[in-house]
Amino acid sequence: MSSHQESGPIDTSVAHPARRYDYLLGGKDNFEADRESAHRIEEQMPTIRLTAQENRWFLHRAVRFLAEQGIRQFLDVGTGIPTSPNTHQIAQEVDPGSRIVYVDNDPLVLVHARALLTGDPRGRTAYLEADLREPRTILEDPQLTEVLDLDRPVALLLIAVLHFIRDDDDPQRLLATLIDALPEGSYVAATHVTLEYMSAEQFAAVRATAERQTAARSGTELAALFDHPRLTLVEPGVQSVSQWWPQDAPQPRPPVEQVACNGLLARVGP
């Protein structure tokens, strides 16, 4: 795997979502600012580590399902620091020829991606340093068009990234740009932080902390972002990741009150 872009400087003094998520999952690729940020959120939301793990397991279930449906191309936007098993490992376990393009805007992710995201030689794995706020830049990157054939079905993965897109960034427009580029038979999988399962007191406390950097949308608000004429939600629609296809998840399942995250899967039609 190679990258045609040079990474910018890594600012270790400011918390970054990818590195904070790495810390919450028990990783070591993070800095003091990331850990302090995670601790502040954890004070208000003691189950945040469980939420991060449940979000990760949703990704595993979704990718495995998509690969078993015959999807061989994956565009994983906001991938974060590689944590095994990652998208390419699960997809290539089903079909070694699967092709994956990862996208993230944290230079540190690029450093790790170059070293870790090698994948099966019968498939392809590439990495772009880009931002979801500039979807055309992603779609037109020569690395993407070299690895993915946008005339054949693609799974677009937006796992724990949309809550960093504020309303004034017009997330529905950004999503429409990506969805419009996907051929019929493609899929979109997404997860999003929500505060709707909390008590009123906890909701107020977490919102005061979280909304400085995130937009914690409800399930209804998340569904509205994907109100697109080419999309059909796969059952059970928008659901807490703890209860989304629970029969395929590690048991026992935690209650939704402990998992501040919703997920969805949608199919792209004509």
Side-chain angles (χ1 to χ4, degrees), residues 1-253:
M1 185 192 69
S2 65
S3 173
H4 299 167
Q5 293 170 268
E6 288 304 314
S7 173
I10 297 171
D11 186 351
T12 64
S13 67
V14 178
H16 189 281
R19 301 194 300 263
R20 183 172 56 215
Y21 186 47
D22 172 75
Y23 174 68
L24 291 169
L25 286 171
K28 298 181 174 61
D29 300 307
N30 49 75
F31 300 102
E32 187 61 30
D34 308 307
R35 296 188 286 273
E36 288 178 358
S37 174
H39 291 154
R40 285 195 299 273
I41 295 173
E42 196 169 17
E43 286 174 2
Q44 308 295 341
M45 190 188 301
T47 60
I48 185 64
R49 291 175 191 266
L50 175 63
T51 296
Q53 183 61 69
E54 287 293 327
N55 176 75
R56 195 76 192 168
W57 281 337
F58 172 93
L59 169 67
H60 295 171
R61 296 199 294 285
V63 171
R64 188 165 289 108
F65 167 79
L66 293 168
E68 290 171 351
Q69 295 302 300
I71 300 295
R72 297 294 177 260
Q73 303 189 107
F74 295 80
L75 176 56
D76 189 338
V77 180
T79 181
I81 292 168
T83 303
S84 184
N86 217 341
T87 300
H88 69 287
Q89 291 162 317
I90 296 170
Q92 291 177 348
E93 189 178 291
V94 177
D95 186 330
S98 296
R99 294 168 166 253
I100 296 88
V101 171
Y102 290 100
V103 181
D104 204 284
N105 67 355
D106 182 0
L108 185 65
V109 175
L110 176 60
V111 172
H112 288 277
R114 284 173 169 157
L116 299 178
L117 299 181
T118 51
D120 192 295
R122 289 168 287 183
R124 291 288 302 277
T125 307
Y127 180 87
L128 315 180
E129 188 175 339
D131 197 298
L132 177 56
R133 296 174 186 84
E134 299 178 355
R136 293 242 57 94
T137 301
I138 296 172
L139 293 169
E140 294 168 4
D141 190 291
Q143 288 185 94
L144 183 143
T145 53
E146 180 185 329
V147 174
L148 302 183
D149 178 358
L150 294 181
D151 291 326
R152 295 172 51 233
V154 176
L156 170 63
L157 307 178
L158 299 161
I159 305 300
V161 64
L162 287 170
H163 43 258
F164 298 110
I165 306 298
R166 305 298 294 263
D167 288 343
D168 52 11
D169 290 319
D170 197 354
Q172 197 163 22
R173 177 186 60 81
L174 302 179
L175 288 172
T177 301
L178 293 171
I179 293 164
D180 288 342
L182 301 176
E184 184 177 347
S186 295
Y187 284 86
V188 181
T191 63
H192 196 297
V193 164
T194 183
L195 308 183
E196 64 193 298
Y197 306 119
M198 300 177 180
S199 68
E201 294 79 9
Q202 190 180 22
F203 177 94
V206 174
R207 189 170 194 136
T209 301
E211 292 220 336
R212 283 194 284 272
Q213 195 172 16
T214 64
R217 299 179 179 94
S218 68
T220 300
E221 291 168 325
L222 175 59
L225 292 184
F226 289 89
D227 183 13
H228 188 287
R230 298 186 69 224
L231 288 185
T232 302
L233 289 180
V234 174
E235 290 296 328
V238 177
Q239 181 69 262
S240 167
V241 293
S242 73
Q243 299 302 314
W244 195 89
W245 293 1
Q247 70 278 7
D248 298 328
Q251 303 295 327
R253 299 277 71 226

